[in-house]
Amino acid sequence: LKEDQQGLDFANILVPIFLSFPKDEIGLHALKLLSNTKSSFAYEALSQVYDYLDETTQQYVRKSLSELKLSGAASRHENSNSHEGALFFMIPPDGDGDLSLLYQKPNKDTVQLIGIVIDDYTGIRECLGFSSISEFEASFLMEKLSGTDFKTTIKPEIFKQILNDAEKLNYRKSAPPYEYNCWKKVFLDIQPEQEKIEDILKEHYENTVVTPDDIKEVLNSDFTVPWFYNRTFGDETETFFDELDSLIKNNPVGKVDFAGFIKQHIDNVFYPQEKENWCSRLLLTAYGKYSANEDKAAGVLYKIARDKQATEELFTFILKQSIFQYFLNMLQDKVFLKYKQKELEEILSYLEELWGFYV
C-alpha cells in the first residue's frame, strides 16, 4: 500500500508535466517514469488524452499504457472524486470567443474553486484554482471571474464535453497550460456527454418559429453586450478600425454611410473560420439559456445559428456594436489622441440616435 501511495504521489507530479509538454524531452521522460508508478490516475489520464496526440507521441503512450495495465493500474480506482454539492458554471463566449468554466465545491468550512478560460481558436488558455478558501473569498472571486456576464449552471457531463473539445484544440499545435493540467484530475472521473450540444438544442428548438422582432429583442439583451470587437482582435479588425477612422476624419459624421461601410467589411471581418466559430458561440450561449430555462432566448439563438440570413443580421449587429464601443471606450478612458472629447460625444450622440445604443 505504501508503494502504491508513493506511485500515486509521483503520478500527481509527472502527469501534468507530460500533458503540458508531450513532445518535449522533459515530457517524454515524465511519460517513461509514469510507466512504473502503477497508478490508475496515470492510466486514466493517458487514456483520455491519447486520441488528441500525434501518431509519434501515441506510440510512446501506448507503451506506457501497456506497462501500467500489466501492473494492474487499469483495475484500480484511486482517482474517484466526490462532486457532492459542486456547481458547474459556464459563462458563454464573448466577442473575442473567450468562454469561461467555473467549478465550485463546498468543503466543511471552505470552498474549492477552479476557473478556466477557453479560446475557441486555441483551446484552454488560462486556469486558476484554489483548493481551500473561505466562502467570502469564493464569492468575491466568483464575482471577479464572472463580472456582469451571463452565467448559468450546466451539467457536469456538458462541462467535461466542453473541456475535451478545448483540449483537442490545444493539442493541434501544442498542449493545454501546465496550471490546467495540475487541476485536471478534479474532472478526470466525469464522463463527457455523448450527445453534442447542437443535437440537444435541435431536439428542443428545431420547430421553433422565430420572427424578426424576436431576433431584434434577443440581440438587444444584456447578455449580448460583450459581443463586439476590439482593434487588437486581429488584422481584419485593425484594418476595419483604421478605415473607420479615415472615414470619420474626412466626413461629417452625419454624412457617413455606416451601413455601406459595414457591408463593405463584413466578409473581411467574418472570414469563413470566424463565421463557423460564431455559430458555435451562438450554440453554446443557446445551451446556457436552455440550462437557465430561458426557452425563448435559447430558441432564437439556435435559429440564428442555423439560418444564414439571421447570422448576417447578427454580424451586422456586432459590427455596429463594435463601432459604438470603439468610440465609447475612448471617451470613458479619456483617450483623446485621435478625437477630441467633443468629437467623441458628437459621434456617440449620432450613433445613439441611428442605432439605439445608449451610453
Side-chain angles (χ1 to χ4, degrees):
L1 287 175
K2 183 178 180 182
E3 184 180 342
D4 288 346
Q5 183 60 43
Q6 288 174 340
L8 174 58
D9 292 341
F10 205 22
N12 286 335
I13 297 170
L14 295 172
V15 167
I17 294 174
F18 170 70
L19 295 181
S20 305
F21 310 101
K23 297 181 183 180
D24 297 346
E25 184 178 349
I26 186 174
L28 294 175
H29 184 62
L31 178 63
K32 186 177 180 179
L33 294 174
L34 279 170
S35 303
N36 301 316
T37 59
K38 301 181 181 180
S39 167
S40 69
F41 162 52
Y43 184 85
E44 185 64 28
L46 295 177
S47 298
Q48 288 193 19
V49 80
Y50 176 82
D51 289 336
Y52 311 155
L53 303 172
D54 62 78
E55 291 183 7
T56 301
T57 310
Q58 283 181 341
Q59 292 177 6
Y60 298 123
V61 173
R62 274 200 301 270
K63 182 180 178 183
S64 291
L65 286 171
S66 296
E67 293 177 4
L68 285 166
K69 191 172 184 179
L70 286 172
S71 74
S75 60
R76 295 192 183 96
H77 301 284
E78 66 195 23
N79 55 294
S80 179
N81 296 308
S82 171
H83 299 286
E84 184 178 354
L87 294 173
F88 297 79
F89 293 99
M90 176 183 71
I91 302 173
D94 59 16
D96 291 336
D98 289 341
L99 170 148
S100 296
L101 296 177
L102 301 170
Y103 173 84
Q104 183 176 347
K105 177 189 168 186
N107 297 317
K108 287 185 178 180
D109 300 311
T110 60
V111 175
Q112 183 180 45
L113 182 65
I114 304 171
I116 302 161
V117 178
I118 297 171
D119 179 289
D120 58 11
Y121 276 93
T122 59
I124 296 163
R125 197 179 72 220
E126 297 175 25
C127 181
L128 181 67
F130 302 90
S131 59
S132 181
I133 56 176
S134 69
E135 290 186 10
F136 174 79
E137 289 170 320
S139 297
F140 176 79
L141 286 169
M142 283 288 286
E143 182 68 25
K144 284 292 183 182
L145 290 169
S146 61
T148 57
D149 297 328
F150 164 62
K151 176 174 89 263
T152 184
T153 54
I154 57 175
K155 291 168 53 181
E157 296 81 5
I158 291 291
F159 190 97
K160 184 64 176 285
Q161 182 190 108
I162 294 171
L163 283 179
N164 285 356
D165 289 343
E167 284 191 37
K168 290 176 189 176
L169 290 175
N170 283 113
Y171 282 112
R172 285 180 186 176
K173 292 186 177 180
S174 180
Y178 177 76
E179 292 77 11
Y180 167 74
N181 287 320
C182 288
W183 287 102
K184 180 181 176 178
K185 186 178 181 180
V186 173
F187 313 115
L188 206 64
D189 64 327
I190 300 172
Q191 295 301 310
E193 174 64 54
Q194 295 303 306
E195 189 175 14
K196 293 297 182 184
I197 285 175
E198 182 175 2
D199 295 331
I200 295 172
L201 295 170
K202 183 177 181 180
E203 291 175 10
H204 289 83
Y205 304 116
E206 181 67 18
N207 298 320
T208 300
V209 177
V210 174
T211 68
D213 285 341
D214 291 332
I215 294 175
K216 184 177 181 181
E217 179 183 342
V218 166
L219 291 183
N220 285 282
S221 301
D222 289 343
F223 67 87
T224 67
V225 170
W227 292 6
F228 63 89
Y229 290 111
N230 293 308
R231 171 185 285 277
T232 57
F233 180 76
D235 293 341
E236 296 80 9
T237 52
E238 187 170 0
T239 299
F240 177 79
F241 287 114
D242 282 344
E243 295 189 13
L244 175 64
D245 285 334
S246 177
L247 192 65
I248 295 290
K249 284 296 185 182
N250 293 315
N251 297 277
V253 66
K255 299 294 184 180
V256 173
D257 181 8
F258 286 100
F261 178 77
I262 288 172
K263 187 175 181 180
Q264 176 188 347
H265 286 273
I266 198 165
D267 286 331
N268 293 327
V269 175
F270 296 97
Y271 48 89
Q273 184 61 57
E274 183 68 356
K275 286 182 178 180
E276 183 179 327
N277 281 14
W278 263 107
C279 287
S280 298
R281 294 167 197 172
L282 286 169
L283 293 173
L284 284 165
T285 307
Y287 184 82
K289 290 297 182 181
Y290 160 73
S291 296
N293 296 316
E294 297 182 32
D295 285 321
K296 182 177 180 180
V300 172
L301 290 166
Y302 172 75
K303 286 295 187 177
I304 293 174
R306 302 279 292 177
D307 183 87
K308 185 176 180 180
Q309 184 176 345
T311 54
E312 288 295 314
E313 186 174 343
L314 167 70
F315 298 155
T316 298
F317 166 82
I318 291 170
L319 290 186
K320 286 180 179 179
Q321 189 153 270
S322 299
I323 291 171
F324 188 83
Q325 287 290 337
Y326 177 62
F327 294 113
L328 179 60
N329 288 343
M330 282 190 280
L331 181 63
Q332 290 180 335
D333 296 340
K334 300 186 184 300
V335 178
F336 305 130
L337 299 176
K338 294 182 179 180
Y339 303 90
K340 296 178 181 178
Q341 181 174 346
K342 187 176 180 181
E343 287 179 302
L344 291 171
E345 291 171 348
E346 289 176 354
I347 293 169
L348 287 166
S349 178
Y350 178 78
L351 294 178
E352 287 175 19
E353 187 176 346
L354 181 66
W355 292 333
F357 296 137
Y358 296 99
V359 178

